[in-house]
Amino acid sequence: ILKEFDLTLTDFIAARATEGVNLKAMIEQRLDGIKVEVEKVTAHMPEVIKWQREKILSRFEEAKIELESTRVEQEMVMLAQKVDVAEELDRLISHISETHKILKKGGAVGRRLDFMMQEFNRESNTLGSKSINTDITQSAVELKVLIEQMREQIANIE
């Protein structure tokens, strides 16, 4: 009986190790997907700011409001601060790096990874709430999907 128990235990440990390797690969794939979305948003931001500036100027023209150029620039700076997502994008990249470190460390990493998923969610929520462009909103939604896929699998990790 002890011999069979040892064989069963060895098989169980090997199966868990294989499962761990597969989970790690899946998480790394999702992290790559998050990086792609961050890069998309980063590439869109100059275009979004330009579009918003033109939209505001056309509304001023439609309303026959004439403002000094300094006032327009002040309004643009305030708007840019409201929609600026550079900090969130930087944090997402930092979270990707930290998650890779946790995965390389090995051992009991479930709680650390769970915490990272909370951090990823926080940044993607802020990104979505600051979005004024459908492309950025779509990226925020895609981020949420990728994070949720990781979170579901991380729930199985010790």
Side-chain angles (χ1 to χ4, degrees):
I1 293 176
L2 288 176
K3 184 179 176 183
E4 287 301 316
F5 177 75
D6 286 342
L7 288 173
T8 302
L9 187 58
T10 301
D11 289 346
F12 174 74
I13 291 169
R16 294 283 291 179
T18 300
E19 181 183 19
V21 168
N22 292 337
L23 287 173
K24 180 181 177 187
M26 186 280 302
I27 291 168
E28 288 175 336
Q29 181 184 36
R30 298 316 185 273
L31 292 172
D32 290 344
I34 290 172
K35 186 174 182 183
V36 166
E37 294 304 320
V38 168
E39 290 168 353
K40 280 186 201 177
V41 172
T42 301
H44 280 306
M45 285 314 295
E47 175 187 319
V48 168
I49 298 297
K50 181 181 176 192
W51 170 80
Q52 188 64 26
R53 176 178 170 67
E54 291 169 0
K55 183 176 171 184
I56 288 173
L57 290 174
S58 72
R59 285 190 177 166
F60 285 149
E61 288 174 13
E62 288 172 11
K64 306 284 190 234
I65 297 173
E66 291 191 33
L67 296 175
E68 300 172 24
S69 64
T70 56
R71 178 66 180 163
V72 171
E73 291 306 315
Q74 288 173 346
E75 291 294 326
M76 290 307 300
V77 166
M78 289 184 348
L79 177 67
Q81 288 173 343
K82 287 181 184 178
V83 300
D84 181 24
V85 293
E87 191 175 324
E88 287 76 14
L89 298 174
D90 288 345
R91 283 192 190 126
L92 284 167
I93 293 295
S94 174
H95 296 338
I96 291 169
S97 175
E98 183 62 25
T99 303
H100 279 297
K101 286 178 188 174
I102 292 168
L103 290 171
K104 284 180 186 174
K105 181 180 177 185
V109 297
R111 287 184 188 218
R112 289 181 188 267
L113 290 173
D114 186 52
F115 174 75
M116 291 308 301
M117 295 309 107
Q118 292 174 27
E119 294 299 308
F120 275 113
N121 267 321
R122 183 175 293 117
E123 302 310 330
S124 64
N125 286 338
T126 305
L127 180 67
S129 69
K130 287 184 172 183
S131 176
I132 59 170
N133 176 284
T134 57
D135 293 331
I136 294 173
T137 301
Q138 287 174 335
S139 286
V141 170
E142 183 62 23
L143 286 171
K144 297 289 283 178
V145 168
L146 293 166
I147 294 163
E148 182 60 20
Q149 289 171 348
M150 287 191 296
R151 192 196 62 73
E152 287 174 1
Q153 295 304 315
I154 287 169
N156 297 320
I157 298 176
E158 293 178 15

